[in-house]
Amino acid sequence: KQWYQRRVAITAGDYASHVELLKYLNSGGDIDRCREVRERMSGIFPLTPEMWIQWINQEKLLLPINREKIQASVEKLYERAVQDYQSVRLWHQYCNDAIQVLEYDTERIREIFEKALRSAGLHVTSGSWLWDQYRQYETSLLDLIDEKLKTDKNDEILKTKRRKQDEIVNNLYTRQLSVPLKGMDITYREYIDWAGSESIISSTVKEKFESAKKKLEVLLEFEEQIENSPSPHRAAYQSYINFERKENNPSRVMCTMERAIADNPLDCGLWCSYLEYLDQVVRHGEVVLSVYARAVRNIPWTVEVWCSYLLALQRHGKHFTHVESTMEEALKNGFGDATSYVTLYACYLDFHWRQERSVTHENGDKPKVNALDRAFEDAINFINQQFGEGADSHGQLTMFMAEVDGIRGDVDSMRNLLSDLLLLPVYKEQSRIWMFYIELEQRYGTKDSVRNVFRKAIYCNTDACDYILNQFLLFERLHGTLETYDNAYLKVKRVQKRNAEKISKENDRRRNEAIPDGKKERKFEAKKRKLSDDSKVKGKPKKPKRLKDDASSKKDTSVSQNLGVPFSAASSSKPKQHSSEEVTIDKSKYNVTVFVSNLSYDANEDHLNEVFKNVGDIVDIRLVKSVNGKSRGFGYIEFHTREEVMSALELDRVSILGRPCYVSECKDKDRGTAADFKFKTCIEAHKLYISNLPYKTTEDELRKIFSEVGEVKSIRMVTTKGGKFKGFSYIEYLSEEAAKNAVIKLNGLEIQGRAIQVAISNPPKKASATTKLNATPKTSSFLVPRSVAKPAISLKDNPSSNKEKEVYSKPAMLSNSDFRKFLTK
């Protein structure tokens, strides 16, 4: 108990710790402490219907102490409970308690029943509970009036009440029979009994009943799919939702989606689909915003939902303070990357910009402290503090504010923003930002200001330098004079020459890196000796080299032209196979470099950059290649910091072109350090070994099956180097108890016709280096042609082999006449 209390106090977002703490407190009967924990938990997470019912039932125990106070608090709890998830059971208990507690407040009871029907009355299998409960209540009121009329048959007031109540009950039957609900045949027979004869029932009611009955037959097929599919029935719900959307009945679509959400509360795709439907079809402010409020509590880590929520608040005319408070709540959730915060702040800045344009200030003056400017400063400060300068990798927020300042007419502020942005190295070489700056200057500045930006841009060695140079010349052709064009042309030529020299020097550097240090020294020494010998024997004729007849002794003196690859080039006629030890790497950079292997031969530097660019700033990618320039399937990636290396290691076995890429630390093999084995070789009570799986099994399928037993932490699908699944995997649970239950419940389960085997992970120990050295080496006799291989001599067959050595005579040389005899046979 104390451990969970500390855990909850330290990590308020730990759902499991809250649940365990409540179990301990419930077992001790500490109602006050349970209430505190539940209040705190409900402020962070939506509670399940079962948890709400347990809370309410516990509070109802205190009714005898202070009936009015507890009654009011219980009603508030019910109102909060029905907001989290759709639950027929919860509504049923709410209505039942309302009848008992609000005995004389008929209008309030009817209000609660109507809300229950709107929320869950369309539930095909369970909705009839609420309808029947409502009818029973109204019928009981009718019976009470009949009892009173027995004593006073001439009371006109009672007769009027009876007619109204009779209409209410009749209307409930009519409404219920028009809804496709399981058991509606029984309801129809009850209606006939209540009415006294089927002939009394109108034809309209009969038509609606028959229509609903036909639709029920179709809906029951979807209900069977849900019942027969494994929890949480995601695919079955999706087909059900698609059908209802085609039928174009928003109430039924919402009911089905609410059921799907209740079983899949953490499914981001399902929530986003639901919210999009509400925004596009329903468009009812109260309904839409209530669902958004629930969505951000269920999946608070999804920035897209928060952005849509902000837009919905604006769309439905909520006060700006409501938008600001929602933004503050979003920032508290702690998104994992800077891009999410940039997206969120961009949406928030859009809101303030719309507000600024819609508000007309007196005399056209702008306020001294503009809300948009303040929000922009907050955004930049927050992102820089959390992730450092340059975290907004594309400069999205600053570019937006620069555009706003241009529209406002504040050109100086626009220029200051973009100039300061382009001073940072991460933005300085982005041609997209430079062209954006130039475009703004063309719109809001002068020709000279545009020309000045072009002059700065062409010297920054951007990622599209040639494009900017051509645009500079095009600008001068369209807007400049001959003199300005000539000046621009000279500048462009100088920049192009400088860039060409840089490329040439870089190519030379890479060629030198491709030659090992030892070979460089030998070439230098050989060159010195040659110059020395030439000076001593100048004029002496050189001795001609003797040509060897053996073709295998010829050497190819070609030098590898594989530019940009820091490994030694082969000098033999057959390309030498280079190993990772031959790669020239600065040993001081081992701690910021990772080794990637098992790459597809079609993978290039762009593929690696696409996968690892989100880890951090990549300094260099060195893909090791053969002499003919083809990739050898491994290479090195250098980062700026050790933290980026650790993040890169988490991408081990990421798929690149269909093959798992192995990511490991760069080790100094000269010191004898080998890569550590990544996985444990001892028993792991919380991890399972699953074998005999079909080769078409996917990770999602395994997650659905094994999540029913407990919360799955990770799944490792064991594949070949080519990326093909090998038929077994490892599944790690958060608790040992869940792993044990999975073994008991799922061992022998059939998946695609194969009975899987589930066991606690206990892999064999890896063979030690000593064991490997002492192992019997394999012979290489298979490399020797059978016609010339020596026969194996056994000591058993030849006892004298230890005493005598067999003498093998050298075969006699054949003459030309011997060969002639072979040809004439």
Side-chain angles (χ1 to χ4, degrees), residues 50 129 157 192 215 265 399 405 441 512 598 634 647-648 804:
E50 292 74 17
W129 297 356
I157 297 175
I192 294 173
K215 187 168 186 178
M399 291 169 68
D405 285 335
E441 286 291 355
N512 291 332
N598 196 46
F634 61 93
S647 299
E804 299 178 0

Side-chain angles (χ1 to χ4, degrees), residues 28-44:
D30 191 347
I31 297 178
D32 293 334
R33 185 75 181 110
C34 284
R35 187 187 300 114
E36 293 176 8
V37 175
R38 287 188 177 110
E39 285 290 354
R40 181 167 61 247
M41 187 177 181
S42 64
I44 304 171

